[in-house]
Amino acid sequence: QVQLVESGGGLVQPGGSLRLSCAASGRMFSINNMGWYRQAPGKQRELVATITRGGSTTYVDSVKDRFSISRDNGKNTVYLQMNSLKPEDTAVYYCNVMVVTSMWPPRTNDYWGQGTQVTVSS
């Protein structure tokens, strides 16, 4: 049983910053890739950023110069630092983790956070 708890969303003015956190807990052997997705009303869910267990990162072009994903493996937590926020960043943000739940037999599952609302508006 694995649970992801997100925090850090809220209302911020354009140009402001927010830091999202997603902590995993439960029965886990290890966590591999972690990522952040977002979904705006009437839009498809899109991948925002990913980070591997070793720390390699990827970003969608629209946030590449403004967002930073990081992780603390000791805390089973992934973060998304969002700077210079724009109204088009408004969305529900979801974390996603790939969890190794069994080594023998091998089993890997991905889990989703509950979502946290980020609203950028003046």
Side-chain angles (χ1 to χ4, degrees):
Q1 188 77 2
V2 177
Q3 183 179 11
L4 306 182
V5 179
E6 298 183 29
S7 62
L11 174 64
V12 65
Q13 293 186 344
S17 298
L18 286 173
R19 186 185 186 230
L20 306 183
S21 299
C22 175
S25 62
R27 190 171 66 90
M28 302 173 290
F29 187 85
S30 64
I31 300 176
N32 291 332
N33 292 354
M34 310 177 80
W36 289 94
Y37 293 73
R38 66 185 180 186
Q39 187 168 23
K43 303 280 288 185
Q44 293 290 108
R45 184 176 299 184
E46 69 169 343
L47 179 62
V48 178
T50 65
I51 184 168
T52 68
R53 199 174 200 277
S56 298
T57 60
T58 66
Y59 300 91
V60 67
D61 286 343
S62 60
V63 309
K64 193 170 185 177
D65 297 325
R66 301 180 295 117
F67 291 9
S68 179
I69 187 172
S70 61
R71 64 190 289 170
D72 186 330
N73 291 333
K75 297 179 179 179
N76 293 328
T77 300
V78 62
Y79 307 93
L80 185 67
Q81 179 67 48
M82 304 183 294
N83 299 321
S84 301
L85 283 162
K86 304 175 180 180
E88 50 262 44
D89 296 318
T90 296
V92 178
Y93 284 70
Y94 300 90
C95 64
N96 176 264
V97 304
M98 182 183 299
V99 178
V100 178
T101 56
S102 177
M103 289 299 295
W104 189 87
R107 184 168 63 251
T108 303
N109 300 94
D110 67 307
Y111 293 87
W112 292 89
Q114 81 279 7
T116 183
Q117 177 70 50
V118 172
T119 302
V120 185
S121 176
S122 59

